[in-house]
Structure formats: C-alpha cells, structure tokens
Amino acid sequence: MKIDLGKLENLARLMEENDLVELEIEDGETMMALEREEGSGALRRGGALSAGIEEGDGSVTVTSSHVGVFTRHRSAGESVAAGDLLGEVRVMDVKYRVLSPVAGVIEEVLVEDGIGVEYGQALFRITRTERN
Amino acid sequence: MFRKILVANRGEIAVRILRACRELGIETVAVHSDVDADAFHVKLADESVCIGPAAVRESYLNIPAILSAAKITGADAVHPGYGFLAENDRFAELTGHSGIRFIGPAASAIRTMGNKKEARRHVAAAGVPVVPGMDISSETDPREVIEKVGLPLMIKAAAGGGGKGMRLVREAEDLPRALSRATSEAMASFGSGEVYAERYLEGVHHVEIQVAGDRYGNVIHLGERDCSSQRRHQKLLEEAPSPVVTPELRRAMGQAAVRAARSVDYDTVGTVEFLLLPPDEFYFLEMNTRIQVEHSVTEELTGVDLVKLQITLAAGNRLEIPSFDEIPSRHVLECRINAEDYTKGFLPRGGTIRTFHLPGGPGIRIDTHIYAGYRIPVNYDSLLMKIIAVGHDRNEAIVRMRRALEELVVEGVPTTAPFHLRFLEDETFRQGKVDTGYVERWLGSIQ
C-alpha cells in the first residue's frame, strides 16, 4: 500500500481539531486506521474524558458527547479507573471513545448495545470508589 | 414518497416543515440543541434527537451530528429549512453520499449561485440582465464607459472592499479624474490598481421572483414579492404583488428568473432576486437556493403550498402547474415580528414569553414557534413570528395587518410590532413607493 504523506498529515490535523482518538478510513482497497495518544491535545483541553453528571448520591452519570451508534465495552459490576474505555459512539465513519470521567464501579449500563444515542444521553451510572 | 424526514432546523421554519410533512403523511424527526429541548418543533415532531450544545457550530451547523441523527432514526430525507446549512453545498453533497435525499438543489447549483461573481457571469450568459459594468483603466475611452455602463456609475477596486477605491461619478466630465483617483487609491490599499465601473442604482426596489423546477427540466415562476422595506439588508416587511410591477413586467421578470434557474438545472423551489429601477429596468442580484422566510407571502397569493411542493419535487414528482404570469386579484402583506426593541436600534432581546395572544379573523395567518412560557434562547435569531395578512386589495391587506398588530399581545420581551404599526401609517409606504433605502431614512427622520 502506498502512503500519501500529505493525506496522512491532513488526517492527523483533522483528528487533532476534532478531538478524535481513533480514525478509520476506507478508500477502495486501502484501509487506514489512525490512533492518537490520549493525553496529548485532547486531554490537556479536557475534551477526551466523557461528561459526567454528579447525582448527589455519590454516583456519576456518564453521558454521550455525540450522536451516533453506541457500542458497550464494559458491563455492570465492573470496576473502572478514570480514563478507562467504557464504550464508543460511532458517528458516520468516525468512532468516539467514551472514557470514564471517574474511578468507580459501573452500577448500570443505561443503553443497549448497538442502538442510536443522542448528545447528552445517559450511558452509564458509576458509583465512585474515591473522590478526585 | 419519503417515509421519514429529518428537519435540520429550528424555529418557525422547522414548525412550517413539520406541518407540511404531517399533511403529506410523512413521519418526522426534529433535531435540537440542548437549550432547545422545550422548543415547539421538538414537541411537534414524531421523534427528536439532541445534536449538541447551544452554540450553532456544535449543533445546527454540525454536519456529522445531523447526518448521524438521520441514520439512527432511519430518515430517508433531510429538509434544511433556511439559514444554517440550507445553502451549504458540502452538506447537500454529504447528505446524498449518506444515501439520504437532500430536499433542495444539487450541490453544484448551490455552489454556482453561492459565489456572487460566478453567479453573475453564469446568469448573464443565460441572457439574464445584470447590473451593467466593465473593467476599466487609464487607457479606456471615457465615452465607451458612459455608453456601456450609464450614469451615475461607481468605480470600484477589483480587489476591493470596505469602500476603499470607490468613486461615485454623476457627470461624464468627472470620470477621468475619478478614475485616476480610484486607481491610485486601489493601488495604495490593495497593491493593485485594477478597477471596474458599475452602474450605480438609486431608488431601487428589491423585487424577487419565486421559482420552482422539477427533475424533468420544467421550471416555472410563481410571481414576485416586493421586499424593499429593509434595514441593513434585513427584510422587515414583504408584499405581493409589488406595487410597482405591471403584468408585462411580471412576465418579463418571471421569464428572466426561469432562465436563471434553468442555467443551473434547478429542480426545487428557489428565489431569484432582482433590483428593480421603476418603471421597468431590472437586474439580477442573487439567487437563494432554498425556501425563504417570506415564502408564505407567495403561498397566500397563489394558493400553492411551497413546502409541500418542495418535498414532492424532491421525491421525484412532476410540476403540474404553469407559471403565474397572471396572479389572482388579491394582496398579501407579511410583517416579521422579531424580539427586538426598534427604539434602541432593533436591539435583540431574550426572555420568557409570559402572556401571549395571537390575532385571528379573516385574512390573517400566523407562522410561529413561540408559546406562553417559552424562554427565547439568546443563541439564535430573533424572529418570533410572521403575520401574514391577505386582502382583496392592498388597502384591505393593510387594514387587516393593522388590526392584527393591534390584537397581538406578547408580554415578556419587546417586539417589532410597534415599528410595523407606525410604518404602516407612513405616506410613502401607503403609496407603494418604498425603495430599499427608505426605511433607514424614515427611521432617521422619526427619531
């Protein structure tokens, strides 16, 4: 496969500008998957961790930052650390990661695997194990 | 026909499109930002999807979010309304690539008409009159300029903007001096002495022609709207027929508009805007490749539901109506009621609608998205409603509009209704002699 460096550079810029962590592009027989280090631009700006709403009872509701199809990676009962991958939301051909905003135990997965979610929709309920 | 349409807009136009879908038996999806969760269009639709936060760039202009919303709801068409993405050729293209029908023209038509210079060149080649102009230099014979462009004329820098390098010429003898000054000023400001001369039009009316086309090459016009009552290029009041358009002129302008639309294989509803110098000199201004705010004026004049027509044309229906060279004998006025304080330079104001009463009775139509208790977000435009008044003649339409404006109650935010009540009494308006600069002169005179 021939790599077009100009194209690659454009894609990298696109990822940076849109806070994308992963990008898959298919063009006929060529498939390119790019992954960007979390903790670079996106985390510095606080864009990559998913939004969490404090519920008052010590639990946090993790919401979707995008409109798309949801895929679940973690299940109820599992312990997670802040920044752990909980699932992803696929917007057209772009996957956005849902990263846990807190450390805790997943109490409930609020959305079924493979269904469409809207911006701000509650995805997970997590009970904190530590204050951060 | 489509099974489910996603309406990629908000406010009164989203409501208007949802109503058309309801009448056609098509399911609907509303999209909204998080601050619009309680908006009327969201309540009216069969389904709704929140597409992002309040900022338009992240919601109503967010192409991936809107197309993703269409995908997850199974919509087979998207209606863009006006504003936002309605004239975004990339959105039209990407919608098509996603296997969803864009209810509007082909991306190529949006692109051509979206570039002012390109549009002008394009329609001129199709035989549509454009404002006379030519490139000039110190070598150009002044007599040729006067003959080709006419007087008065404006010399403009080709690379120009901001009034730099512009010179108004009223007398032929002033041309050489103005040209040399404009050239050196253009050189100093833009690094290029290239200038062109364009006819300077004063006392013009803004008259636009509603057009519609189908996929089979048929294009018709549905008469004109006079939108000369404007402030800073924002239309305030529209009417049809125009007080200065004769049946002969309507036919001529209608034919020119159809030629302009045909030149880009136009296959949906749209508007060709002209500057009209009474009695009968008219020039192409631009083409709006979408439904317009004031489409309702033409609907009330002709009885044609333009939004339903737009949807059925996108679904591949044929145009079944001929051009409106002759229009029904009635008169339609539309007042845009904005949440603005006209005594403070039309300052937009947010707030919550506390009490609210809509006028009614014969000849009154109201298109709005507001309701009692509705909180107007500050993030979007200030249009609250359109009041459309129909009468047997212009005078009856004015009388009905005045009555409706007096009946209207909106408490919680200032509106532009008091401006309209006052303007409707103006003698120049009554005589139908409002040109595009009149409202600003009038506002200056009453303060």
Side-chain angles (χ1 to χ4, degrees):
Chain A
M1 149 183 180
K2 260 198 254 167
I3 294 178
D4 180 341
L5 284 178
K7 198 184 268 178
L8 207 59
E9 210 179 308
N10 281 338
L11 289 174
R13 195 174 312 126
L14 192 80
M15 291 175 74
E16 171 77 28
E17 281 170 8
N18 293 288
D19 270 353
L20 306 182
V21 185
E22 237 181 86
L23 183 67
E24 277 178 37
I25 299 271
E26 245 186 282
D27 174 17
E29 63 242 54
T30 314
M31 207 277 274
M32 231 190 267
L34 282 87
E35 209 164 320
R36 196 163 60 102
E37 188 90 18
E38 295 154 23
S40 57
L43 270 192
R44 269 204 315 276
R45 291 197 297 274
L49 288 187
S50 299
I53 302 166
E54 298 281 350
E55 297 295 355
D57 60 353
S59 75
V60 169
T61 301
V62 183
T63 59
S64 175
S65 307
H66 296 94
V67 183
V69 177
F70 173 73
T71 308
R72 178 173 59 89
H73 286 311
R74 304 295 290 268
S75 308
E78 291 186 48
S79 294
V80 292
D84 272 8
L85 181 68
L86 300 177
E88 53 195 24
V89 176
R90 196 180 180 92
V91 183
M92 308 307 286
D93 291 327
V94 180
K95 278 185 203 163
Y96 291 87
R97 290 177 165 191
V98 179
L99 300 175
S100 183
V102 295
V105 176
I106 298 175
E107 289 296 327
E108 204 178 346
V109 183
L110 301 160
V111 176
E112 272 175 58
D113 212 37
I115 76 152
V117 294
E118 62 181 355
Y119 172 85
Q121 184 161 344
L123 304 175
F124 295 89
R125 196 162 57 79
I126 298 175
T127 301
R128 281 173 186 276
T129 47
E130 55 184 78
R131 289 268 148 205
N132 47 358
Chain B
M1 187 49 65
F2 304 115
R3 198 182 63 79
K4 193 188 272 189
I5 291 177
L6 179 139
V7 181
N9 216 300
R10 66 179 303 283
E12 72 87 21
I13 192 62
V15 170
R16 173 71 190 88
I17 298 160
L18 291 167
R19 285 176 173 153
C21 291
R22 182 67 52 90
E23 290 181 24
L24 289 166
I26 298 169
E27 287 175 54
T28 52
V29 181
V31 294
H32 64 90
S33 68
D34 55 4
V35 295
D36 265 347
D38 291 327
F40 190 52
H41 75 282
V42 176
K43 296 174 201 275
L44 212 56
D46 296 316
E47 290 171 72
S48 66
V49 178
C50 181
I51 49 169
V56 293
R57 201 175 57 84
E58 294 174 71
S59 50
Y60 297 104
L61 292 178
N62 184 342
I63 295 175
I66 290 168
L67 293 181
S68 190
K71 281 284 180 199
I72 64 174
T73 53
D76 49 1
V78 168
H79 195 306
Y82 54 67
F84 296 132
L85 295 168
E87 285 169 292
N88 183 317
D89 57 326
R90 206 168 137 253
F91 180 59
E93 211 157 57
L94 288 172
T95 306
H97 288 169
S98 309
I100 299 161
R101 183 84 200 176
F102 177 76
I103 302 179
S108 57
I110 300 177
R111 211 171 291 134
T112 302
M113 289 303 181
N115 176 324
K116 257 192 145 162
K117 214 170 166 182
E118 174 69 11
R120 185 188 140 99
R121 200 187 56 73
H122 203 84
V123 302
V128 178
V130 295
V131 178
M134 65 185 285
D135 293 334
I136 54 172
S137 72
S138 50
E139 321 282 285
T140 318
D141 182 354
R143 279 170 303 186
E144 188 195 342
V145 181
I146 305 293
E147 192 186 316
K148 277 196 178 161
V149 180
L151 286 171
L153 62 81
M154 185 71 88
I155 303 175
K156 296 179 178 178
K164 293 261 169 58
M166 278 172 66
R167 280 282 181 284
L168 179 63
V169 178
R170 291 192 183 277
E171 306 292 338
E173 63 200 46
D174 297 336
L175 181 60
R177 212 164 72 112
L179 176 58
S180 80
R181 285 200 168 187
T183 307
S184 55
E185 206 174 299
M187 194 58 157
S189 303
F190 309 108
S192 154
E194 256 183 89
V195 293
Y196 66 98
E198 196 176 79
R199 176 79 178 280
Y200 182 67
L201 297 166
E202 290 170 296
V204 288
H205 284 239
H206 173 117
V207 174
E208 56 188 34
I209 304 286
Q210 177 71 50
V211 295
D214 67 16
R215 275 187 219 172
Y216 315 98
N218 303 303
V219 182
I220 61 160
H221 78 85
L222 295 99
E224 81 281 8
R225 295 182 290 259
D226 193 316
C227 315
S228 304
S229 299
Q230 37 181 270
R231 177 184 168 270
R232 297 189 182 170
H233 300 286
Q234 295 301 306
K235 296 164 187 169
L236 300 169
L237 179 154
E238 299 97 349
E239 63 184 305
S242 164
V244 288
V245 170
T246 60
E248 298 72 39
L249 184 58
R250 177 170 305 115
R251 189 167 293 119
M253 292 182 80
Q255 283 168 359
V258 166
R259 278 200 298 277
R262 261 192 221 287
S263 78
V264 288
D265 298 323
Y266 206 70
D267 63 357
T268 176
V269 301
T271 299
V272 182
E273 298 186 335
F274 293 100
L275 292 176
L276 169 65
L277 186 61
D280 57 7
E281 229 179 294
F282 64 90
Y283 302 104
F284 175 82
L285 181 62
E286 62 180 32
M287 181 166 184
N288 293 149
T289 53
R290 53 169 164 85
I291 195 81
Q292 282 188 292
V293 177
E294 61 272 25
H295 74 275
S296 26
V297 172
T298 299
E299 290 186 325
E300 294 307 315
L301 183 76
T302 60
V304 175
D305 184 322
L306 288 171
V307 180
K308 282 205 288 197
L309 180 65
Q310 187 183 24
I311 294 168
T312 55
L313 289 172
N317 279 20
R318 231 167 233 286
L319 268 174
E320 306 273 358
I321 40 174
S323 275
F324 279 80
D325 283 333
E326 275 158 45
I327 51 166
S329 82
R330 65 178 77 135
H331 200 94
V332 187
L333 283 181
E334 175 179 280
C335 287
R336 298 190 188 193
I337 308 296
N338 297 339
E340 294 171 2
D341 186 344
Y342 94 98
T343 63
K344 296 197 172 77
F346 288 78
L347 183 72
R349 300 285 288 270
T352 300
I353 309 282
R354 289 197 310 269
T355 317
F356 159 85
H357 174 78
L358 290 182
I364 297 298
R365 162 178 167 181
I366 295 186
D367 280 19
T368 185
H369 60 290
I370 69 166
Y371 54 87
Y374 176 62
R375 203 174 66 77
I376 302 162
V378 291
N379 316 74
Y380 311 112
D381 82 15
S382 55
L383 182 65
L384 292 180
M385 71 181 73
K386 304 180 306 200
I387 302 182
I388 302 113
V390 187
H392 288 106
D393 53 25
R394 191 167 187 265
N395 187 51
E396 188 177 48
I398 293 173
V399 168
R400 282 186 169 154
M401 181 62 85
R402 194 177 59 196
R403 168 179 71 72
L405 288 165
E406 284 166 352
E407 281 177 31
L408 176 70
V409 178
V410 177
E411 283 177 14
V413 288
T415 77
T416 49
F419 159 80
H420 286 294
L421 270 171
R422 204 161 161 188
F423 188 62
L424 288 180
E425 298 302 317
D426 179 70
E427 195 47 37
T428 303
F429 172 75
R430 287 292 175 120
Q431 289 172 9
K433 289 182 177 163
V434 169
D435 64 47
T436 53
Y438 184 74
V439 169
E440 293 198 35
R441 297 195 299 273
W442 178 79
L443 285 166
S445 74
I446 60 164
Q447 271 153 18

